[in-house]
Amino acid sequence: MKSILVHIHDDAGQNARLQAALDVARYYSGHLTCLQAMPFAAYAGEPFTGAMIAYEAYAETMEATRTRIEAQLQKEGAPWDWIDSRGSGSVAVMMHSQLTDLIVLSPTGKLTDPDAALPIVGEIATKVRAPVLAVRDDQKSFDPAGAALIAWNGSPEAAQAVRNTMGLLTAAKGVHIACIEEDFDTHIPAREAASYLSRYGIKAEVHARAKSGTVADTLSSIAAEVRAGYLVMGAYGRSRFAEFILGGVTRSLLADASLPLVLSH
């Protein structure tokens, strides 16, 4: 975890995202990249038009945000750089994430805002190879060495999540695998995931449970029981459209999770 990318956007989750990214960068002696995108660039037209006024107002807000955050970064003791980009936040993150070990985003946002966190985290988690750390707006810090809970359903997405987060899992003071007992006959059993982790010196405890309420509810209950610092999970085992229409574990946890999520697809 030497290269951490954090999305900069003037919203309620900004402080939590930045703090989590800094915590990871300092723990791993890594480098932090702050990415700020200008979504209104395409609307810059003739002077004195409404579009131009909106563009200038947004640019002023972005500049104020950058000034404030750069002043904070000067005091944080972690190396960092800043990228200004044009276009939507999700496109900018995808463009600059090719050599990134971890992307820090927020799990919630207003669907009416084209750069809100929820649309961004969903799209990024399904289209980039780096894991995504989604932290709640009220998160004060993130401990990379905290206990980890892996949501395991034997799917390719779950396996990919484990492989992508080995940098975190090897640092965790405890690793737990939550397996909600349903029909997994065609999937990889949790014991094989534990065996895989053991080859890296990670002793993982398997928690097999019957579903109580929703899968998301059961996972949250296990997380509280083992005092997990974060939840590792494969994102969107079915299409994001299907989850939007039918509901799904990823969508539920992005909306209601009480702890940080580490997502991979």
Side-chain angles (χ1 to χ4, degrees):
M1 297 291 175
K2 291 291 188 178
S3 180
I4 299 93
L5 179 70
V6 60
H7 179 223
I8 302 298
H9 186 257
D10 189 26
D11 60 67
Q14 178 58 78
N15 290 338
R17 290 196 304 275
L18 184 60
Q19 186 58 57
L22 284 165
D23 288 340
V24 175
R26 281 191 290 254
Y27 185 87
Y28 290 98
S29 299
H31 183 94
L32 178 64
T33 295
C34 298
L35 174 61
Q36 189 176 37
M38 165 59 85
F40 292 151
Y43 300 111
E46 295 297 324
F48 309 116
T49 66
M52 191 63 182
I53 293 171
Y55 172 83
E56 290 177 348
Y58 199 95
E60 289 178 3
T61 299
M62 288 184 61
E63 184 60 30
T65 299
R66 176 170 182 171
T67 299
R68 173 173 55 83
I69 291 178
E70 285 188 331
Q72 177 183 347
L73 291 171
Q74 297 288 352
K75 307 172 185 177
E76 293 290 349
W80 57 276
D81 65 340
W82 194 282
I83 296 176
D84 281 316
S85 185
R86 297 294 180 265
S88 72
S90 58
V91 171
V93 171
M94 285 186 283
M95 182 184 304
H96 294 282
S97 65
Q98 300 304 310
L99 293 175
T100 295
D101 299 320
L102 185 70
I103 301 167
V104 183
L105 302 174
S106 296
T108 57
K110 296 179 180 178
L111 293 175
T112 53
D113 179 356
D115 279 332
L118 183 57
I120 287 178
V121 74
E123 187 169 7
I124 297 305
T126 56
K127 291 186 178 179
V128 303
R129 294 187 178 275
V132 172
L133 171 61
V135 293
R136 289 171 55 101
D137 293 357
D138 58 358
Q139 191 81 23
K140 302 299 183 183
S141 63
F142 177 76
D143 182 9
L149 178 64
I150 300 169
W152 185 261
N153 63 359
S155 67
E157 290 80 15
Q160 182 68 25
V162 170
R163 290 194 299 270
N164 273 4
T165 55
M166 291 302 296
L168 283 171
L169 296 176
T170 53
K173 65 182 179 183
V175 176
H176 304 266
I177 301 174
C179 178
I180 313 304
E181 293 179 336
E182 291 183 312
D183 183 8
F184 294 151
D185 291 342
T186 60
H187 293 83
I188 302 171
R191 64 178 179 274
E192 291 194 23
S195 178
Y196 172 82
L197 290 170
S198 71
R199 296 172 194 136
Y200 292 86
I202 300 171
K203 184 178 180 180
E205 182 178 354
V206 175
H207 303 262
R209 300 288 172 80
K211 185 171 67 172
S212 177
T214 67
V215 171
D217 290 338
T218 308
L219 287 172
S220 296
S221 177
I222 297 172
E225 178 183 320
V226 302
R227 298 183 179 181
Y230 59 93
L231 174 65
V232 174
M233 63 181 296
Y236 298 104
R238 56 188 175 191
S239 74
R240 288 177 61 218
F241 178 76
E243 288 223 358
F244 181 77
I245 299 298
L246 304 173
V249 178
T250 307
R251 185 167 180 256
S252 296
L253 286 170
L254 281 171
D256 299 319
S258 59
L259 74 170
L261 306 177
V262 183
L263 307 168
S264 286
H265 181 71

